[in-house]
Amino acid sequence: MSQLRIVGGQWRSRRLQVADVPGLRPTPDRVRETLFNWLGQDLDGWKCLDLFAGSGALGFEAASRGAAEVLLVERDAAAYAVLQQNARLLGGDALVCQRGDALRLVETTPRRFDLIFLDPPFRQQWLERLAPSLERILADDGFVYVEAEHPVETLGGLRAVKARKAGQVHYQLLQRGDA
């Protein structure tokens, strides 16, 4: 089993286990540092959704930086078990792990989030399937962070406000077109 390191906030330098699941790609330290520089280091009071949590790197990083609530959603049983183990280890009240289907959650939840992390499995058209429901669950001034195998300039009514590439992965921060 591999590990990841939280790069900032109250749990800075803490190491967490990562499940050995095919296709699981934890967001690298350097990319997480860039993302949280874009957002500002303090997420105090934010409600976050880590929709394809996998390793939980993005959600744990948000909680470490003060997010009031982080919902980590994962379908794979092995990855979900490790997420729960890491959440218990950190002991953060903000962390909630949920096993389930990302599309169903986005289509049915009445909740709204300040920050949504989307790092879905590549080449499965997840972004296209999620796009119609994202704006409904995104707070008016909220952000959507996307990792994909190609640049994502728009997603539904959201547009990229920041973008970079690391290796083969394109990552971008999106907001409503009118924000």
Side-chain angles (χ1 to χ4, degrees), residues 58-136:
L58 295 167
F60 292 136
E61 199 74 55
S64 181
R65 295 164 190 264
E69 194 175 318
V70 179
L71 177 58
L72 298 116
V73 179
E74 177 54 48
R75 181 174 55 185
D76 183 86
Y80 176 74
V82 175
L83 279 176
Q84 285 187 302
Q85 172 188 329
N86 286 335
R88 280 191 302 271
L89 175 72
L90 294 172
D93 294 335
L95 298 167
V96 176
C97 299
Q98 179 176 323
R99 186 162 179 225
D101 179 80
L103 185 58
R104 176 132 102 205
L105 183 130
V106 167
E107 290 175 341
T108 62
T109 187
R111 301 177 60 200
R112 295 185 70 188
F113 300 91
D114 301 297
L115 177 58
I116 301 170
F117 299 110
L118 295 179
D119 182 7
F122 287 176
R123 292 175 274 294
Q124 295 182 22
Q125 285 71 49
W126 278 107
L127 297 177
E128 293 80 3
R129 290 188 271 168
L130 292 164
S133 301
L134 284 176
E135 285 183 83
R136 183 182 63 77

Side-chain angles (χ1 to χ4, degrees), residues 9-101:
Q10 69 176 336
W11 299 320
R12 184 173 191 214
S13 299
R14 292 284 302 266
R15 295 199 176 275
L16 302 173
Q17 297 298 315
V18 175
D20 186 17
V21 174
L24 185 68
R25 336 167 243 91
T27 302
D29 292 8
R30 178 173 53 105
V31 172
R32 282 183 276 134
E33 284 183 43
T34 299
L35 168 61
F36 288 97
N37 284 336
W38 289 346
L39 293 168
Q41 298 297 320
D42 183 7
L43 302 186
D44 192 43
W46 289 32
K47 291 181 174 77
C48 302
L49 172 62
D50 192 347
L51 201 50
F52 296 87
S55 69
L58 295 167
F60 292 136
E61 199 74 55
S64 181
R65 295 164 190 264
E69 194 175 318
V70 179
L71 177 58
L72 298 116
V73 179
E74 177 54 48
R75 181 174 55 185
D76 183 86
Y80 176 74
V82 175
L83 279 176
Q84 285 187 302
Q85 172 188 329
N86 286 335
R88 280 191 302 271
L89 175 72
L90 294 172
D93 294 335
L95 298 167
V96 176
C97 299
Q98 179 176 323
R99 186 162 179 225
D101 179 80

